[in-house]
Amino acid sequence: MEDLSAFCCHNERCPDYGKRGQDNLRVCFRYGPRKQRRLLACRTCQARFSERGGTPLFDARLPEDKAVAVLHHIAEGCGVRQTGRLVGVKHNTVTRLSRRAGEHAKESHDELVAFSPKDP
Ligand SMILES: [Zn+2]
């Protein structure tokens, strides 16, 4: 039995949307290189989604360790081209992944932080 407690249904019309630990998810099948990614299904609404869905890694088209390395370099202040050279990816890939991570961080912030002081 796989631990799926960190995941939730992504279907906004589902009664279990966004709720973790509801035991409503199951693994449909595995996909991707070496079949290491899971496609999950909600037993409540039958929706299917990637375990990477809703994360900056969804459709990243990079192995996870390489995508994480790109974001580590950016987080440490490396430039886009410098990161691309160090990790071995094109600078456009660095830009795309960084933009996605930034959007995801903003969405997470907006959902998790009740109040943010206004930036003057
Ligand atoms: Zn659902």
Side-chain angles (χ1 to χ4, degrees):
M1 190 72 175
E2 301 191 52
D3 180 16
L4 301 176
S5 61
F7 299 95
C8 60
C9 180
H10 291 209
N11 178 5
E12 292 180 14
R13 289 173 287 176
C14 176
D16 290 329
Y17 169 70
K19 298 177 186 171
R20 291 183 172 82
Q22 300 295 303
D23 201 30
N24 60 318
L25 301 178
R26 65 182 174 84
V27 177
C28 282
F29 57 85
R30 293 176 179 274
Y31 69 98
R34 300 187 313 273
K35 304 275 186 200
Q36 82 277 28
R37 295 179 200 143
R38 299 175 292 189
L39 189 82
L40 307 179
C42 174
R43 289 188 179 99
T44 306
C45 70
Q46 309 306 317
R48 293 179 175 193
F49 49 89
S50 165
E51 67 178 333
R52 284 180 153 193
T55 77
L57 299 182
F58 181 67
D59 198 26
R61 292 172 246 160
L62 284 177
E64 185 168 329
D65 56 342
K66 201 164 245 196
V68 170
V70 166
L71 296 175
H72 276 158
H73 281 79
I74 291 295
E76 288 295 323
C78 293
V80 170
R81 291 179 189 276
Q82 183 182 26
T83 297
R85 285 191 302 272
L86 290 168
V87 180
V89 299
K90 292 184 177 175
H91 66 87
N92 288 340
T93 302
V94 176
T95 301
R96 177 171 44 86
L97 205 52
S98 300
R99 182 171 290 137
R100 260 195 217 161
E103 290 165 357
H104 184 261
K106 183 183 183 316
E107 289 169 6
S108 298
H109 175 273
D110 291 348
E111 182 178 325
L112 299 172
V113 179
F115 172 75
S116 289
K118 289 200 183 282
D119 186 11

